[in-house]
Amino acid sequence: MPRVTITIAEKGPQPYRFDLKREIVTIGRGLDNDIVVACGSVSGKHSEMRRVEGGYHLIDVGSTNGIKVDGVRQQKVSLKNGMTVKLGDVEFGFTLNEEELAVIDTEREALSEEEENEVEFSEKKVSEKQEDAEEDDEEEEDDLDKLPELRPARLDKSKEKEEQEAAKQKKAEEKERAKRQEKADKEEKAQQKVKDQRSERRKKRESSEKSNERDEYSESKAVTIGSGFILFTLIAAATTFFYGASTRHEKDTGEKLLKGIVNKENAKKDAPSDVDNKDKSKDGAE
């Protein structure tokens, strides 16, 4: 069973198999194609792979981006085993097994070289063969496994829709997650701003308290220094006064002031008091 492999960028290759009796395989983005290719570069009706004597032709049926072989756009391509062409941006791989190659070679041998080059597709013949092929397919469905691989391709549209819905859901979730993250970032920034403001106020308060402590200390120190200076001044004045008075007393009396003060105090102690004098006077009167 010939094998066609469709490879879309960022997706895995998708193989399709079909019977040699199948005359036409339609390819495009539309759901009514035999092979549905979910890619924007592929037209709704892009191309047809047609069975001809001696092989297959891949024909552009009016697509926008066409069929390209080695970068060159072509209207019709004669497919060969192991060949890869491009439908828009999608790779189209064509493979035959040994049995199929033998059948193709036999058909080619039956054709002359001129006939092989001038073979054209006959819509009427294809239609008749298509009807025969469909009848044969119905009879040989269990044995030939005809196009079970193509039918899932049509179901791929449902899978594609599911993938698109999943992608939309994922995108919505990512958007919602981004919003939540943005909101969380804003709240975190707001909280950090409040923390910074509190920290700044605390630093200012601590700085103010330290400044007040320094002012109080400076004021206390100034008061202490002022008091000490006053006390020193008084002591110095008293000392100067005492020294002057002592010098003057010594010059006048010939004795030191301190000694004179002591002698004077002793004399007072030895001198009789007024009470004693009165008693003595009273005794004399008697």
Side-chain angles (χ1 to χ4, degrees):
M1 300 174 73
R3 174 177 174 140
V4 171
T5 302
I6 300 295
T7 304
I8 302 175
E10 299 180 356
K11 292 185 179 180
Q14 176 65 49
Y16 302 88
R17 292 186 181 275
F18 50 91
D19 188 69
L20 276 173
K21 295 180 180 181
R22 191 176 185 93
E23 296 292 341
I24 298 177
V25 175
T26 59
I27 305 167
R29 197 172 66 248
L31 293 177
D32 55 343
N33 290 285
D34 295 315
I35 298 179
V36 179
V37 183
C39 181
S41 64
V42 176
S43 299
K45 293 284 187 180
H46 196 100
S47 61
E48 291 180 353
M49 189 174 66
R50 299 177 181 177
R51 177 76 163 91
V52 297
E53 292 293 331
Y56 286 89
H57 288 166
L58 184 64
I59 302 173
D60 188 345
V61 292
S63 67
T64 301
N65 296 311
I67 301 170
K68 294 180 181 180
V69 179
D70 297 329
V72 179
R73 183 166 180 169
Q74 298 185 20
Q75 177 64 29
K76 181 173 69 174
V77 177
S78 180
L79 295 175
K80 298 178 181 179
N81 183 42
M83 190 175 190
T84 299
V85 300
K86 275 203 168 184
L87 309 179
D89 296 331
V90 175
E91 289 188 355
F92 174 96
F94 180 76
T95 308
L96 297 170
N97 60 29
E98 293 182 0
E99 182 180 350
E100 293 160 350
L101 286 171
V103 173
I104 296 297
D105 290 340
T106 301
E107 291 177 358
R108 288 178 179 174
E109 289 174 0
L111 295 172
S112 65
E113 183 176 348
E114 182 178 354
E115 290 174 338
E116 183 178 355
N117 293 331
E118 294 179 353
V119 168
E120 294 181 356
F121 178 74
S122 172
E123 294 291 344
K124 183 177 180 180
K125 183 177 180 182
V126 168
S127 177
E128 294 173 352
K129 289 185 176 181
Q130 179 67 30
E131 292 175 359
D132 294 339
E134 289 177 355
E135 292 176 359
D136 293 339
D137 288 344
E138 291 177 359
E139 295 174 358
E140 300 174 3
E141 183 176 0
D142 295 335
D143 298 328
L144 295 178
D145 191 22
K146 58 181 188 323
L147 289 183
E149 295 79 4
L150 290 178
R151 292 173 183 170
R154 297 183 178 180
L155 297 177
D156 283 349
K157 195 64 177 180
S158 299
K159 184 177 180 181
E160 180 188 355
K161 288 184 179 180
E162 292 178 359
E163 291 178 352
Q164 291 176 349
E165 291 297 328
K168 288 181 181 179
Q169 182 66 23
K170 184 178 180 181
K171 187 175 181 179
E173 291 175 355
E174 290 177 352
K175 188 175 181 180
E176 182 65 24
R177 185 161 54 249
K179 287 183 179 180
R180 290 198 298 268
Q181 184 63 41
E182 183 179 359
K183 184 178 179 181
D185 292 341
K186 287 182 179 180
E187 291 177 354
E188 184 178 356
K189 287 182 180 179
Q191 293 176 358
Q192 186 62 41
K193 185 176 180 180
V194 172
K195 289 180 180 179
D196 293 341
Q197 290 176 347
R198 290 177 179 175
S199 177
E200 186 67 24
R201 288 196 295 268
R202 184 172 61 254
K203 288 181 180 179
K204 287 182 179 180
R205 185 171 61 252
E206 292 175 353
S207 178
S208 178
E209 291 175 354
K210 289 181 179 180
S211 178
N212 292 336
E213 289 177 358
R214 287 195 297 269
D215 292 343
E216 291 175 358
Y217 174 76
S218 298
E219 184 178 354
S220 175
K221 186 175 181 181
V223 170
T224 302
I225 292 174
S227 300
F229 179 75
I230 293 172
L231 180 61
F232 175 78
T233 302
L234 292 175
I235 293 173
T239 303
T240 301
F241 174 79
F242 180 79
Y243 177 78
S246 177
T247 302
R248 190 179 304 112
H249 178 79
E250 185 177 357
K251 181 184 283 190
D252 293 341
T253 62
E255 64 177 355
K256 293 183 177 181
L257 179 60
L258 184 60
K259 186 176 180 179
I261 292 172
V262 171
N263 292 335
K264 189 174 181 179
E265 289 295 325
N266 292 332
K268 285 183 178 181
K269 290 179 180 180
D270 295 337
S273 62
D274 292 340
V275 176
D276 293 337
N277 291 331
K278 287 181 180 180
D279 293 336
K280 289 181 178 180
S281 299
K282 186 177 179 179
D283 292 336
E286 289 178 356

